[in-house]
Amino acid sequence: MRVHLAALDHGVMDPAPVLYAIPALVPQHHGADTVLTGLLDRSALYGVLAEVEALGLDLIEIRQLTPEGESPESGDRRSP
């Protein structure tokens, strides 16, 4: 993973485009937004949040997803 830090002399990020990767997450593009989905433990989640903050990205929403087909209220499996 390549780290891209702000220049110390003027406090502005270098405008040159750089490719970043956050392991264990799958990006899906929804218009101008990118949704990252993956299995993370709490420690890895906080690491990803720190990377988002360090990159100066806007975090619009974060939520815990339930396994597909499982009702979040009861934990019962729904019929397919």
Side-chain angles (χ1 to χ4, degrees):
M1 178 191 240
R2 182 175 176 191
V3 177
H4 193 76
L5 301 174
L8 297 176
D9 57 342
H10 53 76
V12 179
M13 295 289 289
D14 183 355
V18 179
L19 180 63
Y20 293 95
I22 301 177
L25 298 178
V26 176
Q28 298 173 344
H29 301 285
H30 294 275
D33 298 330
T34 300
V35 176
L36 300 174
T37 307
L39 294 173
L40 301 172
D41 61 19
R42 189 172 300 260
S43 176
L45 172 62
Y46 289 133
V48 169
L49 294 175
E51 287 189 49
V52 167
E53 181 179 27
L55 293 171
L57 301 175
D58 292 326
L59 180 63
I60 297 171
E61 179 181 6
I62 185 168
R63 60 183 138 140
Q64 183 177 358
L65 303 176
T66 59
E68 198 169 321
E70 185 176 304
S71 170
E73 295 83 28
S74 65
D76 295 333
R77 295 276 176 188
R78 293 185 203 153
S79 303

